Amino acid sequence: MASADRATPLRLGSIAPNFQAETTNGPIDLHEYIGDKWLVFFSHPEDYTPVCTTELGEFARLEPEFTKRGVKLLGLSANTIGSHEGWIKDIKDVTGSQVSFPIVGDKERKIAYLYDMLDYQDTTNVDEKGIAFTIRSVFVVDPKKVIRTILSYPASTGRNSAEVLRIVDSLQTGDKNKVTTPVNWVPGDDVIVHPSVKGEEATKLFPNLRAVKPYLRFTPLPNA
Ligand code: BEZ
């Protein structure tokens, strides 16, 4: 059950609202579940929907990659735990991947509402088949429970799991090294020295710094 109404919109930098909920792996308290890890929390408007089926299979396949980065996965779908259990079997049939991370049962869309995942601020907002639009969000949350990324997808477009991993890599690299990452960056590419790191500190931290403009300074990372 959600612990608060969604009075103000969630933004990057907000604390991920805590909630207690039933999941396919038993009850969870979100903040306890995160513990000292990162979290990727992603949602679906209904079980047995085609695009979502492929996405859940792919997140299950990639779970070891997320685990390597200290990231826990949590799914949500606006249906019951019983329904999720049947869907998980289908996902295994279709994709070959076993979903072993928890999927929240949010039949009443309370958590979807708390997390501002619905197209409109109304839990009764459904299409002609009763499917709530859109509840297709991805949240990346850090160990301090701060929301670091929010993505919102239409029903028609499957999520890019490699992009979610890339975002995690960028955030973790940035936190560790006082850097940001340029367009289409992938681990191993040069990064950008954060504008707050100036002068001698910059050259000390990044001896191979390459200033293209005073405000755009690239550097390789030692252990990249
Ligand atoms: C899907 O294909 O996953 C989907 C279909 C309708 C609404 C939302 C998702």
Side-chain angles (χ1 to χ4, degrees):
M1 183 83 130
S3 61
D5 279 339
R6 179 93 314 274
T8 49
L10 288 182
R11 301 187 193 285
L12 302 191
S14 301
I15 295 294
N18 198 23
F19 60 79
Q20 292 77 39
E22 289 301 323
T23 79
T24 46
N25 294 1
I28 63 162
D29 172 286
L30 182 74
H31 285 190
E32 278 176 21
Y33 179 68
I34 297 172
D36 60 358
K37 303 290 187 198
W38 289 68
L39 176 77
V40 168
F41 179 34
F42 57 95
S43 60
H44 306 278
E46 181 60 277
D47 295 353
Y48 301 101
T49 41
V51 173
C52 297
T53 299
T54 63
E55 292 170 329
L56 266 163
E58 182 60 5
F59 276 105
R61 190 183 72 80
L62 282 179
E63 190 173 14
E65 286 300 318
F66 285 102
T67 304
K68 252 194 244 167
R69 292 158 171 81
V71 179
K72 286 184 159 181
L73 296 178
L74 180 65
L76 173 149
S77 183
N79 213 311
T80 61
I81 301 300
S83 169
H84 291 356
E85 284 165 354
W87 191 25
I88 285 172
K89 287 186 193 137
D90 260 25
I91 292 164
K92 171 91 168 123
D93 276 356
V94 171
T95 68
S97 298
Q98 179 66 44
V99 175
S100 38
F101 53 83
I103 304 177
V104 172
D106 191 31
K107 176 82 182 154
E108 293 178 347
R109 301 169 187 147
K110 287 189 176 161
I111 295 164
Y113 184 64
L114 178 71
Y115 269 74
D116 212 4
M117 294 170 176
L118 291 151
D119 278 5
Y120 303 101
Q121 293 302 299
D122 178 353
T123 52
T124 64
N125 172 37
V126 293
D127 73 358
E128 70 281 1
K129 293 194 185 73
I131 296 177
F133 283 113
T134 173
I135 318 189
R136 288 182 42 73
S137 302
V138 181
F139 290 85
V140 180
V141 180
D142 73 15
K144 292 183 177 147
K145 323 301 186 263
V146 174
I147 295 175
R148 302 290 296 275
T149 303
I150 303 173
L151 304 170
S152 191
Y153 284 73
S156 57
T157 308
R159 279 165 267 207
N160 185 331
S161 51
E163 173 64 357
V164 178
L165 268 178
R166 195 187 75 95
I167 290 168
V168 169
D169 283 333
S170 167
L171 290 169
Q172 294 184 343
T173 299
D175 285 4
K176 201 168 142 202
N177 299 290
K178 296 188 178 175
V179 296
T180 55
T181 62
V183 61
N184 295 341
W185 174 88
V186 288
D189 289 355
D190 285 359
V191 297
I192 295 172
V193 178
H194 194 280
S196 66
V197 183
K198 297 192 198 302
E200 246 180 59
E201 190 197 357
T203 41
K204 212 170 175 183
L205 280 174
F206 307 107
N208 298 315
L209 180 152
R210 182 169 47 90
V212 176
K213 293 278 179 189
Y215 59 85
L216 178 56
R217 298 162 301 162
F218 289 99
T219 181
L221 279 181
N223 296 319

